[in-house]
């Protein structure tokens, strides 16, 4: 999705919060412009780590705390939001706003031209995307956001690049750090 952009951040939103910094197609794992190990899941946020705030369990736990109801996943909560359940709608607003607040300094530091988001939670992007965009805009960030269409195939497609000799040579020294 962001192949025409030099610098991008890729996110996977689902069971966990996955991320990668990419500069000209090469993962960036070290340096002042990226989080430790080139990923964001472990970065402090809201009294915990980012993984606590941007994974499926955040939705399930917060919905249960607010309603006493234990649901199995984001899809159920999204369906409730679409049926005008105020608590579900509020959770998606908070999720998007929190994500924009969390990502803003990292986008600026890396000077990312785009964000590519994948994972099962993007099925509910229509419920949180505008709040993410608004928070980025509030933080004076104008970056492209793309939703991955590859879903579960993304890892296979990415791994297949390793058979390209030129690409493999450019990242082989990074493999032991991933």
């Amino acid at each position: 999705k962001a192949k025409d952009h030099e610098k991008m951040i890729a996110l996977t939103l689902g069971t966990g919060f996955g991320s990668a910094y990419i500069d000209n197609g090469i993962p960036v794992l070290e340096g002042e412009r990226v989080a430790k190990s080139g990923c964001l899941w472990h970065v402090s946020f809201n009294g915990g780590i980012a993984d606590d705030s941007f994974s499926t369990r955040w939705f399930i736990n917060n919905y249960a705390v607010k309603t006493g109801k234990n649901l199995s996943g984001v899809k159920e909560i999204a369906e409730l939001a679409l049926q005008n359940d105020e608590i579900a709608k509020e959770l998606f607003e908070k999720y998007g706003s929190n994500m924009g607040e969390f990502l803003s300094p990292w986008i600026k530091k890396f000077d990312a031209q785009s964000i590519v988001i994948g994972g099962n939670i993007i099925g509910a992007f229509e419920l949180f995307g505008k709040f993410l965009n608004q928070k980025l805009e509030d933080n004076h960030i104008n970056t492209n956001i793309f939703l991955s269409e590859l879903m579960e195939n993304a890892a296979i497609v990415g791994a297949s690049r390793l058979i390209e000799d030129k690409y493999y040579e450019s990242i082989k020294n990074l493999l032991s750090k991933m």
Side-chain angles (χ1 to χ4, degrees):
K1 286 286 190 170
K3 66 182 174 185
D4 295 331
H5 296 126
E6 185 178 310
K7 294 180 192 166
M8 52 101 39
I9 297 174
L11 303 174
T12 302
L13 309 176
T15 304
F17 176 51
S19 60
Y21 296 87
I22 307 294
D23 190 343
N24 285 310
I26 306 298
V28 180
L29 306 176
E30 301 172 313
E32 293 179 11
R33 59 192 183 128
V34 301
K36 183 181 176 186
S37 301
C39 52
L40 295 164
W41 69 268
H42 56 79
V43 174
S44 295
F45 185 70
N46 271 354
I49 59 173
D51 194 64
D52 297 332
S53 293
F54 304 115
S55 61
T56 298
R57 74 181 170 283
W58 180 87
F59 279 100
I60 293 169
N61 293 341
N62 279 279
Y63 195 81
V65 165
K66 291 180 180 289
T67 66
K69 297 176 185 172
N70 293 312
L71 301 179
S72 64
V74 175
K75 188 174 183 179
E76 282 182 277
I77 299 169
E79 288 170 2
L80 291 169
L82 292 170
Q83 296 168 11
N84 286 320
D85 178 304
E86 289 302 319
I87 292 171
K89 287 169 44 177
E90 175 187 306
L91 288 178
F92 282 101
E93 179 177 348
K94 186 172 184 181
Y95 184 82
S97 294
N98 283 348
M99 183 175 292
E101 192 65 38
F102 173 77
L103 289 174
S104 289
W106 298 106
I107 293 168
K108 287 178 182 177
K109 192 179 263 196
F110 190 62
D111 194 26
Q113 299 157 311
S114 60
I115 308 294
V116 176
I117 306 175
N120 288 325
I121 294 177
I122 66 164
F125 188 78
E126 68 184 89
L127 296 169
F128 71 88
K130 65 183 173 187
F131 304 107
L132 166 60
N133 282 316
Q134 182 61 57
K135 190 56 77 168
L136 293 176
E137 192 176 301
D138 292 349
N139 284 293
H140 310 288
I141 294 173
N142 182 20
T143 190
N144 297 290
I145 296 179
F146 300 105
L147 302 182
S148 174
E149 295 170 357
L150 297 175
M151 299 304 283
E152 285 82 9
N153 293 326
I156 294 167
V157 171
S160 70
R161 289 213 53 209
L162 294 174
I163 63 169
E164 297 173 23
D165 291 337
K166 185 177 178 181
Y167 183 74
Y168 179 79
E169 285 300 316
S170 68
I171 69 157
K172 72 179 181 181
N173 293 331
L174 298 173
L175 293 175
S176 65
K177 298 175 185 179
M178 291 183 185

